[in-house]
Amino acid sequence: IATFLTRVSYVKVSAGYNLMMMTVGAFAFVLPYSIVYNCMLHFIKDTGKKKSFLPAACGILASLAVCIAGNMHYPTYKWFEPLVRKFFGMEKGSYDYWFPDATRFIGYHPETNDKTIHEFPSYSIVLGDLHAHVINIMFVLTVVAALLAWMTARRKNELDKRSLASEVLDPAIILISFFIGLFKMTNYWDFPIYYVVSGAVILFTNMIVYNFKGKAVIMVTALQGIFVMAASMVASLPFALSFDKIASRICLSDVHTPLNQLIILWGLPFFIIFSYICFIFNDIIKDRYVVKAVTDSDNNDDPGRQSIIRRIMARLMPSDLFIVTLGLCAAGLVLMPEIVYVEDIYSVDYKRANTMFKLTYQAFILFGICIGYILLRLMAYANSWRKVRYSLVGMMFFAMTVCYAQNAVSAWYGNIFNPSGYKGLDATAFMYETMPEDMEAIEWLNENVAGMPVVLEANGDSYTAYQRVSVMTGLPTVLGWRTHEWLWKSDEEMVKSREKIVKSIYCSTDEMEVRKLLKEYNVSYIYVGKLEREKFPDINEELIQRLGKMVYSSSDTGAKDNRTYIIQTGN
């Protein structure tokens, strides 16, 4: 997706990376604003009590909550702990706050055998992370927006009789189906997550629209669920035919997060969500709700025979019902890794890491949308001082989490207001200083090599300088970063086999065997530079140079280890 947008906009790939990163960041700010703005706008229209400033204010809060804020780990360990130590005259702690710690807390502080990951968008954006779960932010928010549009339209016209075909083939349902199918290609974890979120919104809406008539609700919801699943599978079919999931099975969690750590990470959104639910449910029961969406006289059943939950849901306005649904889904995503986890290549101390990472990342986004709506909704339409106090407490703690971004940016980039520190948009610029010989060779490849020939280079571990040729040129190689290749293929033996092949080509003394491997793996170019010599001390450069024509050689620096050259094999 990032490459496609870079190409169609005629932007150099070297600049496309940073531009795409900021595009995702911009969408992560603007889309929550749009969702919550419209959610509050519908609420105001339903109540008939005009508050013109409220939609924009709620939208800004949602933008901050999704895109800028961190979790309560930052104020807890940056401010509260030092204050407590100082107040009680305790010895100053040795802990120096480092912004990634907010994403590596469970299992690390204190050290345990249950190491997990709980990242969130502002951390990803500051870090410059273009992983799948980050790019998918703009698409999952689009699904949330489509669900809001569908729910409000359906509730507004709930008395209109619709055929089963029109229920299933509603344009919003079709759009949601497409994006859920897209998630199989962009970030597979979001496929089941948003299938369930969509199912919850659709189910609760159908219950109200069909007046809680069990058979009608079950039939319509089931048909819509089947259609969404089938359409999503069709949308992703070309990709799914050749995709191997890393997940193998679902297992019960035998380790659990300590309660105090859960409270630090998720206590604030849980407090805000469940306080809000308790307030509006209590208002409905005591007939103090801001407006009656459905009066008792509108129902055919005797109100006295209705369950409390039915009475509450029937009277909830669409905006409130939507936020309640998202909040409950987010809470479920946080609690899910405490019950089960998906088994993949991560094991032993890290077995829950990926499950918690992917589920709670989406929980953070959903919580952010809810927080933006709830804090000002309770305050602006409060019928008691208790609601105002709860809102103010929530706002105060939320404001503390927003400060996380400033700490992270300063720690990672320094003083961003100092123009002399600006590095530019070119994501490859660092290589001109740290790896100039490699950069010159890479520029030669970009300018002189057409098509997609395989360029052999030394393989290495994740987040190292290895694979700099394939990264900076977009050309394929025999083996990329070890853990990522293992993760994508779910086959460690294949990775080990490729590692041996790469080493054989660079180090073997058997020319026939090397030529056979070059042909088998369609290697058109062999790259030799400083990292190849570091990776393979026994590199057989004499043999490599006999394998084809030397089409590029760096200038003679006088240091043999720094010389970089490229051999064209003729394959």
Side-chain angles (χ1 to χ4, degrees), residues 210-407:
Y210 285 92
N211 198 20
F212 300 89
K213 294 177 181 177
K215 290 183 179 179
V217 172
I218 293 172
M219 179 179 294
V220 172
T221 306
L223 287 175
Q224 288 170 324
I226 292 169
F227 174 80
V228 171
M229 178 62 72
S232 68
M233 291 177 68
V234 171
S236 63
L237 188 60
F239 177 84
L241 287 174
S242 58
F243 176 64
D244 295 322
K245 298 186 292 293
I246 66 169
S248 57
R249 58 178 180 151
I250 297 176
C251 305
L252 287 174
S253 297
D254 55 0
V255 288
H256 307 283
T257 307
L259 182 60
N260 65 309
Q261 292 188 322
L262 276 177
I263 291 173
I264 289 172
L265 293 178
W266 302 107
L268 177 62
F270 268 70
F271 166 78
I272 293 173
I273 292 293
F274 286 100
S275 295
Y276 159 72
I277 291 174
C278 290
F279 279 134
I280 60 173
F281 281 19
N282 184 61
D283 284 347
I284 290 174
I285 292 171
K286 295 184 177 180
D287 205 24
R288 295 185 306 192
Y289 193 50
V290 286
V291 69
K292 287 188 177 183
V294 178
T295 63
D296 292 336
S297 60
D298 292 330
N299 292 319
N300 296 325
D301 298 337
D302 180 4
R305 297 175 58 187
Q306 297 173 7
S307 67
I308 292 177
I309 297 298
R310 177 172 173 176
R311 286 169 55 199
I312 289 172
M313 288 187 63
R315 293 177 60 181
L316 272 177
M317 285 183 292
S319 297
D320 280 341
L321 177 60
F322 185 72
I323 295 300
V324 167
T325 306
L326 293 190
L328 292 175
C329 288
L333 291 173
V334 170
L335 297 176
M336 188 67 70
E338 306 302 320
I339 304 169
V340 296
Y341 68 93
V342 176
E343 187 178 68
D344 49 33
I345 73 165
Y346 301 109
S347 58
V348 193
D349 290 1
Y350 300 89
K351 59 188 177 185
R352 284 204 307 158
N354 207 31
T355 301
M356 183 176 288
F357 178 12
K358 297 301 166 44
L359 295 185
T360 60
Y361 200 90
Q362 299 308 318
F364 191 96
I365 292 173
L366 296 178
F367 273 139
I369 292 171
C370 296
I371 288 171
Y373 175 89
I374 291 170
L375 290 177
L376 291 180
R377 147 79 170 88
L378 283 181
M379 196 178 299
Y381 291 88
N383 51 26
S384 69
W385 277 107
R386 186 171 60 168
K387 289 182 182 177
V388 176
R389 288 196 297 269
Y390 269 75
S391 300
L392 289 174
V393 169
M395 191 78 76
M396 179 184 69
F397 282 107
F398 169 69
M400 294 179 184
T401 67
V402 175
C403 297
Y404 170 86
Q406 183 276 329
N407 178 276

Side-chain angles (χ1 to χ4, degrees), residues 441-507:
I442 287 168
E443 286 182 336
W444 183 90
L445 285 168
N446 281 329
E447 292 172 3
N448 294 277
V449 174
M452 294 294 287
V454 176
V455 179
L456 179 70
E457 63 178 319
N459 58 287
D461 292 327
S462 300
Y463 308 108
T464 65
Y466 288 98
Q467 271 57 65
R468 76 281 198 205
V469 179
S470 57
V471 167
M472 300 300 178
T473 63
L475 298 174
T477 190
V478 175
L479 181 64
W481 280 352
R482 189 183 199 283
T483 305
H484 282 68
E485 293 279 20
W486 178 17
L487 185 69
W488 294 327
K489 305 297 192 303
S490 298
D491 188 351
E492 188 179 13
E493 292 305 314
M494 182 278 292
V495 174
K496 290 179 179 178
S497 173
R498 293 271 179 128
E499 286 175 330
K500 292 178 181 178
I501 289 162
V502 174
K503 183 176 181 179
S504 294
I505 295 174
Y506 277 109
C507 301

